Amino acid sequence: MSSAVSNSNNGRARTQQTFKADSILIRVEELINLDQSEAALETLSSFLAQKRTRYLDPVAVEPVVTRLITLATALHKGRSIREALTRFKRAYYDNVEGLKTLSAIIKTFVD
């Protein structure tokens, strides 16, 4: 995660966290290489559970959801897949781009 500085109305600088999918995905790959696939799945799930993910661009979150579904499929964790898709849907249900991204994710795994 990196920080971006923005000015608020009262003149004080405030830091706002920005999201980089690469950092989460790199961490997950490191855990998988250490034979800690369960921990990698938990890392992805906990990221999607955070409230701040709803303010992110759905296209930026797509690789994280895709990796979570791939890993959960390999580990036979169907409930994790359902929870991830439900969280993604709830976070972006009022966003046209989010719904397009969700349908693209689902089509990828159905085909």
Side-chain angles (χ1 to χ4, degrees):
M1 301 283 166
S2 63
S3 294
V5 177
S6 63
N7 290 325
S8 60
N9 292 339
N10 59 6
R12 292 183 303 187
R14 148 183 88 128
T15 58
Q16 176 184 4
Q17 293 293 325
T18 56
F19 169 71
K20 292 184 179 180
D22 295 343
S23 62
I24 300 239
L25 295 174
I26 289 170
R27 178 67 181 142
V28 166
E29 291 303 321
E30 290 172 354
L31 289 169
I32 291 171
N33 290 337
L34 294 173
D35 292 327
Q36 296 182 354
S37 298
E38 293 284 335
L41 184 62
E42 181 59 35
T43 299
L44 292 168
S45 296
S46 65
F47 171 75
L48 285 177
Q50 295 175 358
K51 287 184 178 182
R52 67 187 173 132
T53 57
R54 74 178 69 152
Y55 303 111
L56 300 174
D57 184 27
V59 176
V61 180
E62 180 181 3
V64 175
V65 175
T66 303
R67 185 64 180 129
L68 186 145
I69 293 172
T70 305
L71 185 59
T73 302
L75 295 173
H76 304 289
K77 301 281 186 174
R79 179 176 224 148
S80 296
I81 295 170
R82 188 190 68 173
E83 289 174 357
L85 291 174
T86 302
R87 285 180 184 151
F88 189 84
K89 181 190 80 163
R90 286 184 182 158
Y92 299 109
Y93 71 92
D94 60 345
N95 185 337
V96 174
E97 190 65 35
L99 293 177
K100 288 180 184 177
T101 304
L102 179 63
S103 66
I105 292 169
I106 292 170
K107 285 180 185 177
T108 300
F109 288 99
V110 169
D111 295 338

